[in-house]
């Protein structure tokens, strides 16, 4: 059943074409896709999927428009976006799209909050140190009213900072 679903999806996104009953051949797009995977050119793989897969491209578009967002927020926006299309989304499909996006470097997910975002920047901005201090102060305040934490988790600071600035890790 999974193999059948995979073949149908590959047909739908134009990676293969049916030559005769039960015989398929890679399309030029499919050949480019395979070459990109072999070369481990994940940006190219993501670009091909974004161009040919309505699910993947809509997922990325919603994340780019929304910024950092929880799974529920992304799902709600995807459902609204797909309202008048033949496509549908559920929690599993969003998680699968998120996993694909993470593997291909197009999406990141905050390890502490679970929020998805598209890293738009590879380099920190000029005001990086101000944002870092702001994130540090914000996390430090979560200890409680009038209490200061002696130590903060560096991974949590990194995750929060990357999500705030839309930076890749």
């Amino acid at each position: 059943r999974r193999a059948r679903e995979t073949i149908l999806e590959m047909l739908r996104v134009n990676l293969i074409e049916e030559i005769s009953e039960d015989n398929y051949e890679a399309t030029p797009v499919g050949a480019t896709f395979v070459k990109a995977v072999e070369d481990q050119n994940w940006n190219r793989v993501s670009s091909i999927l974004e161009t040919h897969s309505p699910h993947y491209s809509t997922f990325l578009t919603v994340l780019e428009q929304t910024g950092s967002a929880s799974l529920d927020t992304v799902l709600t926006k995807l459902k609204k976006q797909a309202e008048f299309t033949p496509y549908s989304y559920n929690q599993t499909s969003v998680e699968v799209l998120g996993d694909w996006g993470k593997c291909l470097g197009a999406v990141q997910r905050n390890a502490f909050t679970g929020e998805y975002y598209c890293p738009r920047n590879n380099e920190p901005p000029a005001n990086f140190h101000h944002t870092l201090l702001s994130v540090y102060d914000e996390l430090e305040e979560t200890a409680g009213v009038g209490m200061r934490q002696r130590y903060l988790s560096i991974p949590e600071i990194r995750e929060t900072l990357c999500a705030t600035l839309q930076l890749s890790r």
Side-chain angles (χ1 to χ4, degrees), residues 25-158:
E25 186 175 273
T27 63
V29 173
T32 303
F33 182 83
V34 169
K35 177 78 170 120
V37 171
E38 288 172 343
D39 294 343
Q40 297 182 9
N41 185 345
W42 307 124
N43 287 332
R44 181 76 179 128
V45 171
S46 182
S47 176
I48 292 168
L49 287 177
E50 190 172 356
T51 303
H52 294 279
S53 171
H55 282 98
Y56 187 70
S57 66
T58 304
F59 174 72
L60 292 182
T61 300
V62 164
L63 281 182
E64 287 169 2
Q65 291 170 349
T66 307
S68 188
S70 69
L71 184 135
D72 289 336
T73 301
V74 172
L75 181 57
T76 300
K77 290 187 180 217
L78 283 170
K79 284 180 177 179
K80 184 175 183 195
Q81 191 98 355
E83 188 175 9
F84 300 108
T85 69
Y87 309 112
S88 63
Y89 296 90
N90 58 33
Q91 181 176 341
T92 302
S93 66
V94 172
E95 288 174 349
V96 168
L97 290 167
D99 289 346
W100 271 98
K102 286 190 303 186
C103 290
L104 300 175
V107 173
Q108 288 189 343
R109 190 168 189 188
N110 186 312
F112 293 91
T113 64
E115 291 186 340
Y116 292 98
Y117 64 95
C118 288
R120 297 180 182 140
N121 307 307
N122 291 326
E123 296 294 324
N127 69 341
F128 177 80
H129 59 288
H130 294 296
T131 308
L132 175 60
L133 289 173
S134 173
V135 165
Y136 180 86
D137 288 341
E138 180 183 313
L139 291 174
E140 191 177 46
E141 286 178 10
T142 61
V145 177
M147 298 175 65
R148 294 281 218 216
Q149 289 188 27
R150 186 171 195 126
Y151 301 103
L152 290 175
S153 162
I154 290 174
E156 188 171 6
I157 292 171
R158 182 195 68 210

